[in-house]
Amino acid sequence: MKKSIIAAAIAVAVAAPAANAGVTIYGKVHVSIDHYNAWYMPDAQWEVNSRASRIGFKGTEDLGNGLSVIWKAETTYDFADGGAWGSGRNAHIGLAGDWGTFLYGIHDTPYKMSYYAAGIEMMGDTAIDFGDSGYLDLSHVRASNAIAYVSPNMNGLTIAAAIVPGEGNNFDNGTGLADAVSVSAMYSNNGLKMAAGYEDLGDDDTKFLVTAGYTMNNVTVAGLYQDYEDDKTILLSAGVAMGNNNLVLKWGQTDYGKDNTVYGGNDHTVWGLGAEHKLSKRSSAYAAYGNASTDESGYDDTTIFSVGMIHNF
């Protein structure tokens, strides 16, 4: 009897992967210990933070004649506070072939894709990832209800475009099929990466960026310029790889236009320094220090020191 149970269990274990052969489980565990000293805090404080930790499922089904169904379902998981199954990450279904990829659901807009395409955000998701920090006016979104097309790689060039219906409560609250529009072009070849993006999220909320990066031997440099309505932003990054270690230096500034309701007429400047060490192909540890300041006296000098670990699976 016991042998029969064991045999049945082995049969199920062997059959299960075959039944789910088209599904890949993946994710990232990224947790840091941070020391904040910000203008809005009465005292500096220590925190433990989960930084874009995630778990995802993705798969394909071959339909023949070079056509495949693709899908992805990704969600956040807070390894610091235990919160699970958060929203806001990519989840979509679509078709892929030699002609490119068509998908719809939640997805990074082509503008956001162009932002990261040239490697400007070295040490992404850490304390010195300035794209989502709020320190610089580098707004980019992962759009719900997006309908997108991404071209195949054409000798290093990839083009992406997306439209987003307003559905009465999204972006400009319109009811059309293309109440928001986002397009980008991305190029990569022989160490050179370049990208440009344009986005109109409705209500004259338009933005444009160009970015470029270049890697020679163990040194990578990248720069970005964005024009977001009346706000102008520059971000520069440099990285030096030395075996299993990588040193990163970043500097950025937003020149806020006079019509900006929070920082009108002021410059907001950030800089960061970080060091990464690869523990293995999938795991790493790092330390980073970042500083943000502005001409506005009440918002001066915010600093953070952060140490963290990352594991990809």
Side-chain angles (χ1 to χ4, degrees), residues 68-121:
S68 298
V69 170
I70 62 167
W71 64 270
K72 175 183 284 190
E74 189 173 300
T75 183
T76 57
Y77 191 102
D78 194 322
F79 282 83
D81 298 330
W85 317 122
S87 61
R89 299 206 65 84
N90 290 343
H92 54 260
I93 190 169
L95 295 171
D98 294 338
W99 44 268
T101 300
F102 166 79
L103 58 88
Y104 58 101
I106 305 173
H107 196 270
D108 295 348
T109 66
Y111 187 89
K112 182 174 182 178
M113 293 167 64
S114 69
Y115 175 85
Y116 288 102
I120 190 67
E121 279 298 3

Side-chain angles (χ1 to χ4, degrees), residues 106-168:
I106 305 173
H107 196 270
D108 295 348
T109 66
Y111 187 89
K112 182 174 182 178
M113 293 167 64
S114 69
Y115 175 85
Y116 288 102
I120 190 67
E121 279 298 3
M122 302 174 191
M123 294 186 68
D125 295 331
T126 71
I128 58 172
D129 182 336
F130 297 128
D132 289 320
S133 67
Y135 299 135
L136 299 181
D137 195 3
L138 286 170
S139 174
H140 46 73
V141 299
R142 181 179 290 118
S144 300
N145 314 309
I147 303 168
Y149 167 77
V150 182
S151 77
N153 187 315
M154 300 172 288
N155 296 319
L157 176 65
T158 301
I159 297 172
I163 57 176
V164 185
E167 300 187 10

